[in-house]
Amino acid sequence: MGRPLSAPSALAPFLFLTAFLISVAVSGAAASRAANATLPAILIFGDSIMDTGNNNNLATIIKCNFQPYGVDFNGGPTGRFCDGKIPSDIIAEQLGIKGSVPPYLDPSLQPKDLLTGVTFASGGAGFDPITAKLVAVVSLSQQLQYFEEYIAKVKSIVGEERANFIIGNALYLVVAGSDDIANTYFTLRARSNYDIPGYTDLMSDSASNFVQEIYKLGARKIGVFSAPPIGCVPSQRTAGGGPMRVCADNSNQAAILFNSKLKSKLDSLHQMLPNSRVVYIDVYSPLLQIIQTPTKYGFEISEKGCCGTGAVEVAILCNKFTPPCPNVNAHVFWDSYHPTEKTYRVLVTELLDKYSSDLLG
């Protein structure tokens, strides 16, 4: 018989395993830090899909810093047009940047918050310059001015060299177009002098110009979301879907036409702008799939929102007098215009799987 194992030798396999697990954990943490070293911040422009509270102190009806908004958000209503987190938060979270993205206009914003990114997005804004004016929110041109202001602030905090690194390596996301089509064009008829081909030209030209402007200011990794199937959101079914509340085909066709023009322009910019990653992100197709086959994704209801009747309530119409449904996770939409956090998580996971390598390398 061999000698009995001494205590130290008996523990050797366990010590080896412990050391191995620690090394894996350390290398994983190092890899995470390395990823963040090359993706130091997220900066977002656009509309209510990405607005985490910039409209809170504006004199506009396009706001939601009250119940029942935020019912599933830690801290309650914040100005997010959702029951919980929205894509800006979920993308930052899944990329390991931070758990939520603060609004640039938050009076309590801290200098450290600036260094990892903010959202300039404002609910109700659009690529058409008059879209934001019609509802008194922050236009894309004003968001661009805030971005210039942001750059100056970051330089004052960390110096020009580090600021240039943050600006040059951040992820930029642009999300707009829904309000142009649904509100400015079809609901308010504020561009009645344009036919749909002409109006989608105006939108896509504006989107292209905006991307070029943020590029001039240092943006390189730029993802631009397509318009969604806007005719299938509950409010547009109510407004243009007839007695059966089917998807409003005219709105969807406008979105499809805009998206084709947007993709063409972004593909051209990707080739034209040196060292850029300008990526068209198709939201239309995956969201339409969820709406058309909700049970496949764990939902039950896609034709109406969770707030109130689900047919019209959004922003100030979704309030304490219009209580939410008993099971928000059964719904694709939170209110009559915006998806639930659960829907956003399904979408973001799919989009990051598809587009991360194009955007981030």
Side-chain angles (χ1 to χ4, degrees):
M1 287 179 66
R3 290 180 300 158
L5 291 171
S6 64
S9 59
L11 289 172
F14 301 101
L15 293 173
F16 174 79
L17 179 61
T18 302
F20 173 75
L21 292 174
I22 290 172
S23 70
V24 169
V26 169
S27 63
S32 177
R33 285 194 297 272
N36 287 336
T38 55
L39 188 62
I42 184 168
L43 294 161
I44 304 168
F45 306 87
D47 59 23
S48 57
I49 302 302
M50 295 293 198
D51 181 2
T52 59
N54 282 314
N55 284 11
N56 289 357
N57 297 312
L58 301 183
T60 178
I61 60 171
I62 312 298
K63 58 175 62 180
C64 59
N65 54 334
F66 42 78
Q67 295 180 343
Y69 285 96
V71 65
D72 295 314
F73 191 88
N74 184 21
T78 57
R80 289 167 170 82
F81 291 81
C82 190
D83 62 295
K85 288 188 174 184
I86 60 174
S88 45
D89 305 311
I90 300 166
I91 293 168
E93 172 192 298
Q94 292 197 13
L95 292 177
I97 300 171
K98 54 184 171 183
S100 61
V101 179
Y104 180 68
L105 297 181
D106 182 353
S108 63
L109 194 67
Q110 299 298 308
K112 64 181 175 61
D113 296 324
L114 293 171
L115 303 183
T116 49
V118 295
T119 176
F120 304 96
S122 176
F127 288 123
D128 182 346
I130 73 166
T131 296
K133 291 180 182 178
L134 290 169
V135 288
V137 298
V138 184
S139 66
L140 282 178
S141 60
Q142 181 62 61
Q143 291 179 37
L144 191 67
Q145 291 176 35
Y146 284 143
F147 178 44
E148 293 184 83
E149 185 179 280
Y150 165 88
I151 294 172
K153 288 180 179 179
V154 171
K155 287 181 178 179
S156 71
I157 296 167
V158 296
E160 187 149 352
E161 183 178 349
R162 178 61 186 171
N164 289 340
F165 176 85
I166 292 171
I167 301 305
N169 290 279
L171 172 63
Y172 294 79
L173 297 174
V174 183
V175 181
S178 297
D179 295 315
D180 297 320
I181 294 169
N183 299 336
T184 302
Y185 193 82
F186 283 112
T187 300
L188 300 176
R189 307 285 177 178
R191 289 291 195 181
S192 56
N193 53 322
Y194 284 83
D195 59 11
I196 291 175
Y199 190 61
T200 51
D201 281 343
L202 182 154
M203 290 172 62
S204 59
D205 287 345
S206 175
S208 175
N209 290 338
F210 186 81
V211 169
Q212 292 176 74
E213 289 299 319
I214 61 173
Y215 176 86
K216 289 176 188 175
L217 292 171
R220 292 297 178 267
K221 302 169 184 174
I222 307 168
V224 184
F225 282 40
S226 74
I230 191 66
C232 293
V233 306
S235 65
Q236 300 309 297
R237 288 175 180 263
T238 303
M244 301 302 292
R245 296 185 66 253
V246 298
C247 295
D249 187 61
N250 55 358
S251 296
N252 279 353
Q253 290 304 314
I256 290 169
L257 183 57
F258 164 68
N259 289 342
S260 67
K261 294 175 180 180
L262 178 67
K263 184 178 188 307
S264 176
K265 287 185 177 292
L266 295 178
D267 289 347
S268 295
L269 290 178
H270 178 67
Q271 299 298 322
M272 184 181 80
L273 301 175
N275 303 313
S276 71
R277 290 178 177 271
V278 179
V279 179
Y280 168 84
I281 298 175
D282 174 26
V283 176
Y284 189 102
S285 301
L287 182 55
L288 186 62
Q289 281 291 310
I290 295 171
I291 292 168
Q292 291 178 333
T293 57
T295 55
K296 178 181 175 182
Y297 300 90
F299 300 101
E300 298 172 19
I301 302 164
S302 62
E303 72 279 5
K304 61 180 182 178
C306 175
C307 184
T309 67
V312 295
E313 293 86 349
V314 63
I316 61 171
L317 295 179
C318 175
N319 53 57
K320 63 183 180 181
F321 301 109
T322 56
C325 61
N327 182 13
V328 64
N329 286 330
H331 286 254
V332 172
F333 290 94
W334 159 248
D335 59 20
S336 69
Y337 202 81
H338 305 95
T340 58
E341 177 181 342
K342 180 181 174 181
T343 305
Y344 282 141
R345 287 193 177 276
V346 173
L347 275 173
V348 166
T349 298
E350 184 170 337
L351 295 176
L352 287 178
D353 285 347
K354 184 175 182 180
Y355 295 105
S356 286
S357 59
D358 293 337
L359 268 172
L360 307 176

